[in-house]
Amino acid sequence: MEFWEYRTRLAAYVLMVDDQDRALLAWWNGEGHSDPEWSLPGGGIDYDESIMAGVVREVFEETGYHVEPGALLAEHHFTAQGRSFDGPFKSQRFVFEATITGGELGTTEVDGSTDYARWVPLVELEGQPRSEIVDIALAAREKKVASR
């Protein structure tokens, strides 16, 4: 399929794990399409926005923190049929490391897709509902730590 025959969704996220082995996660409310679950802070990049500017904006909206994006940790894509339009789409996702530079924990978006954000101990994630992007990012982090 050629690139003009499908829609594309660009998204960027951050994975931040503190010194207590807790990940900063956002509770995605499902927006009426699916069950709520933990996700990484981040989301869709606006039309006239760079990936880095978009991830900074999204993290602030979902967590209340200002961040400085770091190295690319993982990239992932999937294809599916659109829910709000007829036809196929490709979702291209990027996960970055990041450093908190200011702000305080608390979701700033109103009527958005994130209900709240929390520092969640990694040992407590097992068995909890979570987006695939969380597992992709954590696996990339483990691989990076193991290679050091």
Side-chain angles (χ1 to χ4, degrees), residues 24-27 38 41 59 62-65 105-107 114-120:
L24 181 61
L25 299 177
W27 185 253
W38 288 116
V59 172
E62 294 181 359
T63 71
Y65 288 127
L105 185 61
T107 302
T114 298
D115 289 346
Y116 53 88
R118 291 217 176 105
W119 288 96
V120 179

Side-chain angles (χ1 to χ4, degrees), residues 30-50:
E31 299 182 296
H33 301 294
S34 62
D35 293 333
E37 62 188 6
W38 288 116
S39 186
L40 297 177
I45 305 302
D46 289 342
Y47 176 72
D48 192 23
E49 183 174 55
S50 72

Side-chain angles (χ1 to χ4, degrees), residues 39-98:
S39 186
L40 297 177
I45 305 302
D46 289 342
Y47 176 72
D48 192 23
E49 183 174 55
S50 72
I51 291 173
M52 292 304 198
V55 75
V56 167
R57 175 188 52 76
E58 282 283 342
V59 172
F60 178 72
E61 289 175 358
E62 294 181 359
T63 71
Y65 288 127
H66 299 285
V67 297
E68 177 69 32
L72 179 66
L73 184 62
E75 67 89 17
H76 179 262
H77 77 275
F78 67 90
T79 58
Q81 285 299 118
R83 288 185 293 217
S84 60
F85 60 89
D86 188 31
F89 77 96
K90 176 181 181 176
S91 178
Q92 180 68 55
R93 307 184 291 180
F94 303 91
V95 180
F96 296 93
E97 297 174 337

